[in-house]
């Protein structure tokens, strides 16, 4: 059965002081008994600090990106064995900011996904359409192609227990949110795409929604059948808001 997950993507934000404060509030506020997997994804330079601060708590740590290469002459890159060394359990892959600002292709994302699986780090595959694509009624084919690029690379059985985040590009950091119905339609289509290949795998993949999720809209989004949690950017930097979203996710499990 799939997990309910709330992941905070801190993007390029944080200081050691601010991280300490935020994580201490999250450690105090996350209710383990609720059964939600709570994950924070700080910038790479703070991963070590974050894993130390959440050690022996229910909060997990993920990276925002990683190389598909294990080591060597790749100046500025970070390797999966380094994430393992720090105790990171997840990695975001193919975030729209990586795809658009850093020109990451479907093929590169698929290579990173495969490498993460080999390293026993759970990949969170981010997919989503631009506003132009939505307006041209291309949302479902665009998302299906992004998902298919990874399935073609790793095979359907390797998708079991991985995470997909549907993040409409037009909703990221804009304050615009997909309606629960718009999001559910895409989540259900992703689930159906997986199910056609393997029903058990389809049921084991957590599909998160991301795109201006906040304390005010989370409950409604998270009440949809195929929305298994959230990938939260801006609102993950405020402990109170992030904890409210975690609480909204917990309601799915009741
Ligand atoms: C994100 O960065 O993945 C994201 C969803 O950002 P925001 O919540 O700020 O839209």
């Amino acid at each position: 059965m799939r997990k309910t997950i709330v992941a905070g993507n801190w993007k390029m934000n944080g200081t050691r002081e601010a991280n300490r404060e935020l994580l201490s509030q999250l450690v105090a506020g996350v209710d383990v008994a609720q059964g939600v997997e709570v994950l924070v994804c700080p910038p790479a330079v703070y991963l070590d600090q974050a894993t130390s601060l959440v050690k022996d708590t229910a909060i997990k740590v993920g990276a925002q990106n990683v190389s598909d290469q294990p080591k060597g002459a790749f100046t500025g890159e970070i390797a999966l064995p380094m994430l393992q060394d720090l105790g990171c359990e997840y990695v975001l892959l193919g975030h729209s900011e990586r795809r658009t600002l850093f020109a990451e292709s479907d093929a590169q994302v698929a290579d990173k996904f495969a490498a993460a699986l080999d390293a026993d780090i759970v990949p969170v595959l981010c997919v989503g359409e631009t506003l132009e694509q939505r307006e041209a009624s291309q949302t479902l084919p665009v998302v299906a192609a992004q998902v298919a690029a990874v399935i073609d690379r790793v095979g359907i059985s390797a998708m079991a227990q991985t995470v997909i985040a549907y993040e409409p590009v037009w909703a990221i950091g804009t304050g615009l949110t997909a309606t629960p119905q718009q999001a559910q339609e895409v989540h259900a289509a992703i689930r159906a795409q997986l199910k056609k290949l393997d029903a058990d795998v389809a049921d084991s993949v957590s599909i998160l929604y991301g795109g201006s999720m906040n304390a005010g809209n989370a409950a409604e989004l998270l009440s949809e059948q195929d929305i298994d949690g959230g990938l939260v950017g801006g609102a993950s930097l405020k402990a109170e808001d992030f904890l409210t979203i975690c609480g909204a996710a917990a309601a799915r499990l009741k």
Side-chain angles (χ1 to χ4, degrees):
M1 195 56 197
R2 56 193 187 255
K3 287 181 178 168
T4 296
I5 301 173
V6 178
N9 175 15
W10 294 5
K11 310 197 192 205
M12 199 170 69
N13 294 292
T15 61
R16 279 189 297 178
E17 181 59 37
N19 304 341
R20 203 173 298 120
E21 176 65 22
L22 177 54
L23 287 174
S24 73
Q25 290 176 25
L26 296 187
V27 166
V30 167
D31 180 356
V32 191
Q34 287 186 325
V36 175
E37 180 103 322
V38 178
L39 168 68
V40 293
C41 302
V45 288
Y46 296 129
L47 288 170
D48 196 16
Q49 181 198 26
T51 50
S52 305
L53 289 173
V54 303
K55 198 170 183 327
D56 301 326
T57 76
I59 299 174
K60 315 272 188 200
V61 176
Q64 297 175 13
N65 181 34
V66 78
S67 170
D68 63 332
Q69 298 298 317
K71 65 174 181 176
F74 299 99
T75 303
E77 291 291 273
I78 290 154
L80 281 152
M82 297 172 188
L83 299 187
Q84 289 173 320
D85 193 22
L86 294 182
C88 288
E89 295 181 49
Y90 287 83
V91 61
L92 306 183
L93 295 176
H95 189 281
S96 73
E97 288 151 18
R98 302 288 326 162
R99 291 179 190 265
T100 54
L101 303 175
F102 301 95
E104 278 189 21
S105 65
D106 276 345
Q108 283 171 309
V109 173
D111 285 345
K112 291 179 181 198
F113 195 99
L117 289 174
D118 283 346
D120 279 331
I121 302 238
V122 180
V124 179
L125 170 68
C126 302
V127 296
E129 82 288 1
T130 63
L131 187 56
E132 294 68 31
Q133 290 165 334
R134 175 162 282 272
E135 286 174 350
S137 303
Q138 288 304 302
T139 298
L140 297 184
V142 164
V143 169
Q146 290 171 335
V147 173
V150 170
I151 299 176
D152 290 348
R153 175 74 173 78
V154 301
I156 186 65
S157 38
M159 298 298 291
Q161 315 288 335
T162 64
V163 182
I164 296 175
Y166 167 56
E167 300 203 294
V169 178
W170 49 272
I172 297 180
T174 58
L176 298 173
T177 313
T179 64
Q181 295 71 31
Q182 285 173 323
Q184 167 60 25
E185 183 194 17
V186 181
H187 284 233
I190 295 171
R191 185 99 56 212
Q193 182 178 359
L194 298 169
K195 200 168 178 178
K196 249 192 228 164
L197 299 168
D198 189 317
D200 290 339
V201 169
D203 201 39
S204 77
V205 174
S206 301
I207 309 178
L208 316 183
Y209 170 79
S212 299
M213 184 181 266
N214 59 41
N217 61 25
E220 220 192 342
L221 285 158
L222 291 165
S223 66
E224 293 292 337
Q225 195 186 333
D226 288 290
I227 302 184
D228 304 314
L231 176 53
V232 185
S236 72
L237 298 171
K238 296 173 213 129
E240 197 183 332
D241 291 5
F242 191 64
L243 289 169
T244 301
I245 297 169
C246 295
R252 288 184 66 75
L253 300 166
K254 288 191 179 137

